[in-house]
């Protein structure tokens, strides 16, 4: 770590700050969705599931695909540009592993359930235990959002420590 140039540290700081900023922006959207949108579509299922439909509601699929893709690219760039800084690399790898695990959970549980809820809205199919399914989805979403917020908060001390290397 002794042979780090000012240019290297500057690039590391920039990419770490960018990924932190994007993560906080993503979390802001998640908190808004969790506190405003989710309670509306989970209230009295399946009547409000129409809010999830493309063209009829507030389908957020494209938004989340773009935001998560952008964030994950910047997160990987932060790891790449911080690679020679041991504490930064190691902490970023831990945070990325947590982030990645939650993304896998999202793709394995949350996304398929949203797709099912959308299909219910389109077909008016009756489903057993629908209130429990939406209640579980909503409760687990609070956990998921809290973990994402925890990861973004975990980036802040890293930004501060990296900033102090050069300043």
């Amino acid at each position: 770590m002794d042979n780090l140039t000012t240019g290297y540290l500057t690039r590391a700081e920039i990419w770490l700050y960018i990924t932190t900023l994007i993560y906080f922006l993503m979390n802001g959207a998640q908190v808004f969705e969790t506190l405003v949108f989710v309670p509306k579509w989970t209230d009295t299922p399946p009547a409000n599931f129409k809010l999830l439909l493309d063209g009829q509601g507030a389908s957020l699929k494209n938004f989340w695909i773009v935001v998560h893709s952008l964030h994950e690219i910047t997160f990987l760039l932060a790891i790449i540009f911080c690679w020679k800084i041991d504490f930064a690399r190691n902490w970023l790898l831990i945070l990325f592993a947590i982030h990645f695990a939650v993304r896998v959970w999202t793709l394995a549980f949350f996304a398929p359930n949203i797709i099912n809820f959308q299909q219910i809205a389109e077909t008016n199919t009756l489903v057993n235990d629908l209130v429990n399914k939406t209640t579980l989805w909503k409760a687990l979403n609070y956990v998921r959002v809290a973990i994402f917020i925890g990861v973004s908060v975990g980036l802040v001390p890293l930004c501060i420590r990296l900033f102090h290397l050069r300043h």
Side-chain angles (χ1 to χ4, degrees):
M1 200 162 77
D2 293 334
N3 60 352
L4 298 176
T5 65
T6 301
Y8 185 87
L9 286 172
T10 300
R11 286 187 296 277
E13 286 175 348
I14 288 170
W15 284 107
L16 181 59
Y17 297 159
I18 288 171
T19 199
T20 302
L21 175 65
I22 290 175
Y23 216 130
F24 272 99
L25 291 172
M26 180 179 73
N27 285 332
Q30 288 176 330
V31 167
F32 175 81
E33 181 181 61
T34 298
L35 297 178
V36 175
F37 185 61
V38 171
K40 290 196 182 303
W41 71 259
T42 57
D43 187 42
T44 61
N48 289 344
F49 283 2
K50 65 185 174 293
L51 295 172
L52 300 171
L53 296 176
D54 290 327
Q56 296 180 32
S59 174
L60 300 170
K61 176 180 67 175
N62 292 333
F63 171 79
W64 286 118
I65 289 171
V66 170
V67 169
H68 278 292
S69 298
L70 177 64
H71 174 261
E72 284 157 6
I73 289 167
T74 63
F75 207 138
L76 291 171
L77 286 169
I79 292 169
I80 290 166
F81 283 101
C82 291
W83 195 258
K84 293 180 183 178
I85 307 165
D86 295 341
F87 72 86
R89 176 192 62 232
N90 296 340
W91 193 240
L92 283 170
L93 289 172
I94 290 167
L95 291 174
F96 189 79
I98 295 166
H99 170 85
F100 186 78
V102 177
R103 290 289 288 132
V104 168
W105 183 30
T106 297
L107 296 173
F109 175 78
F110 292 96
N113 277 292
I114 285 289
I115 292 168
N116 288 338
F117 297 148
Q118 288 171 327
Q119 289 171 346
I120 291 167
E122 290 172 342
T123 62
N124 293 320
T125 307
L126 293 178
V127 175
N128 292 333
D129 230 11
L130 192 56
V131 171
N132 289 337
K133 289 177 183 179
T134 55
T135 301
L136 176 65
W137 193 100
K138 184 177 174 182
L140 291 176
N141 187 57
Y142 288 127
V143 173
R144 176 176 65 149
V145 170
I147 294 169
F148 277 135
I149 290 170
V151 171
S152 62
V153 169
L155 291 168
V156 173
L158 188 56
C159 288
I160 293 168
R161 189 167 173 197
L162 189 60
F163 177 81
H164 286 299
L165 274 183
R166 196 164 58 99
H167 301 283

